[in-house]
Amino acid sequence: MIKKMGGIVCLMILWAAVCTAQVWQAPDQEQAKERAKEVVPFVKEYQDDCRISRRICLMDAGVSLDDVKEVYFLLDNPIIKQREDHYEPVRFAHKRHAALVNDCSKCHHFRPKDENALETTRCSACHQDSFNPDHPERIGLKAAFHQQCMECHQEEAKGPVDCTGCHLPHVPDHKELVKLPDKPDPIQVTKACLECHDTQGEDMLKTAHWLWRGPSPYTTGHRKDILHGKGTTALNNF
Amino acid sequence: MQITRRHFFRFMGAAGASVAVRPASAHAWQTKAPPDPFGCLVDLTRCVGCRKCEEACAEVNGLPEPERVNCQCTIFEKNRRPDETAFTVINRYYTGKVDAFDKPVPTYAKVQCMHCQDPVCVSACIVGALTKEDTGAVRYDVTKCIGCRYCMVACPFEIPAYEYFDPVTPRVMKCTFCQERIKETGGLPGCAAICPTETITFGRRETLLAVAKKRLKENPGIYIQHVYGEKEVGGTAWMYISSVPFETVNLPELPDAPAPKLSETIQHSLFSYLWFPVLLFGVLGAFMARCNKGDHKATSPDKGGA
């Protein structure tokens, strides 16, 4: 009886822990969210420097890692969202990038022509809505992000280059989607997966996981059996 | 040598041109291109082959979802064409370009209706179902179409497709340039709006030409010094710039003369003042009269003899 009670209490404590536990959030998440919503005035004219003179300028101005006030940004600007809104915001670790790249001119490639302006400005000051007829050569903010990030990640062979590397895939909660009996057998589980992921299922049938054949050196009786394998005799469990 | 339908038409067109005698009074052919059309500039160096444009196009135009929309693993193994279920497709080409690690670099190329300045499909259409709009779009009107499919034969880019599966109300299917969207101020074609890397730049054609030429001039080592579509078949609203030769990404080499120029010149000169039919039937009439006269002479002695 006491054991039973103890078990119930344990379960209750566990349940309470699950209920109260929050998904971890960065301490400056709210601040980043607020910042992402801001739209700054458009910089019409920029100073057309080359990369080297730009770098020298930034070094002369004494821009260093200590000047990086925001550790990270959420790339979630309303300028992009007003056109297309499909993806969750991308987290951009600004300070980490600054420390690793160690060359601010790589992203802060031009500065505003206005001499009173700060040496560095945010992407969305110069890159706003796409296809602005007054500035046809200026790419939009979305393209600026993608070109800058992907090109550098490819060049440096570091960081994600595929879509889901930066954009979190919008995975719905499968608790609601998948309906399974209490103790499902493997066939039922696979069937439930294939209900939506049928193309993935078809792809799997073309891979070695489904088609492998050859001896199985660690299986008694099949050590020299060259006709062994899922492509030939071995049974699949579903 | 096998003669395809297309070759046959080309040969017949050329033959027609060589025999046609142009009267001095016929008006010289004039372009009917709209004055300040919209266009799109496709920069193949920027395309990453995400196929978001295909997805957006299908959504905007109410077409079925593209094949394997979220999976880019096997779709590029076959070379695809726009068809009755897809107005635009992306193909991947390995043209021999390699990166710093000697790894082959793919080039992705978008295919869709080029919206020619002087579209030959519009010229070929006998009922005026296809029209060149002021926006630059080549618009298809299903209520006028009789399904002759001359547009499909005429198109130098082989774009229009036909709903062969539908025996009752088939349509010719091709990119609409999102005519209804771009008509409104600030409206963008679905593909240009979604493109993450701004491979597709939308704007006035003249502006885009200037942008393209600026890009070519500023990056001479990257681009081939040619804007595909600036002059091809008299100019197209969709233009391409690339770092690999255009033939290698299936953009055919085409003459600069607008395609309807030749055919329309022949037709208009043949039928102005009906001089050709008059001449033709005159000659035929004279020939028949001569033949009949000869017959009469030959048969009359027989009659007398009998």
Side-chain angles (χ1 to χ4, degrees), chain A residues 5 15 18 21 37 43 46 75 84 86 107 112 120 125 128 136 140 147 155 174 183 187 197 206 208 218-219 230 232:
Chain A
M5 287 287 282
W15 180 245
V18 168
K37 280 182 203 155
V43 174
Y46 62 91
L75 308 183
E84 300 283 340
H86 297 282
C107 296
T120 60
Q128 295 203 342
Q147 284 190 21
E155 253 173 43
H174 278 58
K183 280 186 181 170
I187 296 172
H197 301 281
K206 290 176 199 153
Y218 305 109
T219 317
K230 279 200 176 176
T232 55

Side-chain angles (χ1 to χ4, degrees), chain A residues 180-194:
Chain A
L180 278 171
D182 276 348
K183 280 186 181 170
D185 58 29
I187 296 172
Q188 283 171 322
V189 174
T190 310
K191 207 177 162 190
C193 296
L194 288 175

Side-chain angles (χ1 to χ4, degrees), chain B residues 23-35:
Chain B
S25 62
H27 297 293
W29 183 86
Q30 274 185 333
T31 173
K32 290 182 216 60

Side-chain angles (χ1 to χ4, degrees), chain A residues 46 48 83-84 86-87 129-131 133 136-144 146-147 150 154-155 157 163 199-200 202-203 206, chain B residues 46 48 50 52 55 59 68 71 73-74 101 181 186-188 190 192-198 200-203 207 211 214-215:
Chain A
Y46 62 91
D48 196 358
R83 292 279 185 197
E84 300 283 340
H86 297 282
Y87 301 97
D129 198 11
S130 304
F131 322 128
E137 78 294 340
R138 193 90 62 92
I139 57 173
L141 184 60
K142 181 168 63 172
H146 282 103
Q147 284 190 21
M150 285 167 81
Q154 263 161 359
E155 253 173 43
C163 307
T199 43
Q200 283 83 348
E202 272 167 37
D203 285 346
K206 290 176 199 153
Chain B
R46 289 181 179 180
V48 293
C50 68
K52 283 287 155 207
E55 203 183 330
E59 200 188 315
R68 292 175 163 245
C71 173
C73 44
T74 55
F101 309 104
R181 282 163 65 107
L188 299 177
I194 205 163
C195 181
T197 55
E198 226 165 273
I200 310 162
T201 311
F202 174 78
T207 323
V211 170
K214 193 168 174 239
R215 266 186 227 168

Side-chain angles (χ1 to χ4, degrees), chain B residues 223-270:
Chain B
Y223 292 102
I224 286 185
Q225 293 296 314
H226 180 68
V227 183
Y228 188 93
E230 182 191 3
K231 293 194 176 120
E232 272 76 8
V233 287
T236 55
W238 279 68
M239 296 173 288
Y240 286 71
I241 50 175
S242 160
S243 61
V244 296
F246 293 99
E247 308 88 70
T248 60
V249 292
N250 218 359
L251 286 165
E253 204 172 311
L254 291 167
D256 287 353
K261 190 175 175 181
L262 179 67
S263 52
E264 282 180 9
T265 308
I266 295 167
Q267 269 196 328
H268 293 173
S269 44
L270 281 183

Side-chain angles (χ1 to χ4, degrees), chain B:
Chain B
M1 196 187 113
Q2 210 184 352
I3 299 173
T4 62
R5 187 175 156 88
R6 194 169 290 274
H7 282 127
F8 173 75
F9 279 111
R10 240 177 238 164
F11 173 76
M12 289 308 283
S18 59
V19 296
V21 187
R22 202 183 305 173
S25 62
H27 297 293
W29 183 86
Q30 274 185 333
T31 173
K32 290 182 216 60
D36 190 17
F38 285 115
C40 276
L41 176 69
V42 184
D43 189 335
L44 297 185
T45 63
R46 289 181 179 180
C47 183
V48 293
C50 68
R51 293 173 58 234
K52 283 287 155 207
C53 48
E54 288 184 27
E55 203 183 330
C57 177
E59 200 188 315
V60 167
N61 293 296
L63 298 169
E65 193 180 72
E67 206 183 332
R68 292 175 163 245
V69 77
N70 289 321
C71 173
Q72 266 43 278
C73 44
T74 55
I75 194 80
F76 292 121
E77 278 167 18
K78 57 185 176 197
N79 205 333
R80 297 175 303 147
R81 297 285 313 166
D83 57 19
E84 68 278 6
T85 56
F87 291 163
T88 184
V89 291
I90 299 278
N91 281 318
R92 182 180 65 189
Y93 299 94
Y94 283 106
T95 56
K97 208 169 83 167
V98 289
D99 66 3
F101 309 104
D102 272 351
K103 216 175 114 197
V105 178
T107 305
Y108 298 96
K110 188 176 182 293
V111 197
Q112 78 294 310
C113 172
M114 300 286 277
H115 297 275
C116 306
Q117 287 288 80
D118 279 298
V120 68
C121 56
V122 171
S123 172
C125 185
I126 51 175
V127 290
L130 287 157
T131 43
K132 178 82 175 168
E133 299 292 314
D134 284 342
T135 52
V138 175
R139 197 169 65 91
Y140 169 71
D141 183 354
V142 69
T143 55
K144 287 185 187 164
C145 180
I146 55 166
C148 71
R149 284 157 283 151
Y150 281 5
C151 50
M152 293 170 68
V153 180
C155 177
F157 302 99
E158 304 177 25
I159 292 297
Y162 195 65
E163 290 182 325
Y164 285 106
F165 61 83
D166 184 351
V168 185
T169 55
R171 290 172 295 172
V172 167
M173 300 295 271
K174 68 159 208 72
C175 162
T176 58
F177 204 171
C178 290
Q179 159 77 3
E180 296 307 314
R181 282 163 65 107
I182 63 171
K183 241 181 359 194
E184 286 156 27
T185 30
L188 299 177
C191 52
I194 205 163
C195 181
T197 55
E198 226 165 273
T199 299
I200 310 162
T201 311
F202 174 78
R204 295 279 171 193
R205 190 174 180 269
E206 289 307 307
T207 323
L208 293 179
L209 259 176
V211 170
K213 284 183 176 159
K214 193 168 174 239
R215 266 186 227 168
L216 298 190
K217 199 181 153 201
E218 284 174 0
N219 308 286
I222 294 174
Y223 292 102
I224 286 185
Q225 293 296 314
H226 180 68
V227 183
Y228 188 93
E230 182 191 3
K231 293 194 176 120
E232 272 76 8
V233 287
T236 55
W238 279 68
M239 296 173 288
Y240 286 71
I241 50 175
S242 160
S243 61
V244 296
F246 293 99
E247 308 88 70
T248 60
V249 292
N250 218 359
L251 286 165
E253 204 172 311
L254 291 167
D256 287 353
K261 190 175 175 181
L262 179 67
S263 52
E264 282 180 9
T265 308
I266 295 167
Q267 269 196 328
H268 293 173
S269 44
L270 281 183
F271 292 103
S272 56
Y273 309 115
L274 284 177
W275 72 271
F276 186 75
V278 168
L279 183 74
L280 179 72
F281 288 108
V283 168
L284 281 174
F287 182 70
M288 278 173 72
R290 216 183 130 217
C291 285
N292 285 342
K293 209 172 157 190
D295 283 353
H296 189 71
K297 265 183 194 169
T299 49
S300 54
D302 288 347
K303 271 182 188 170

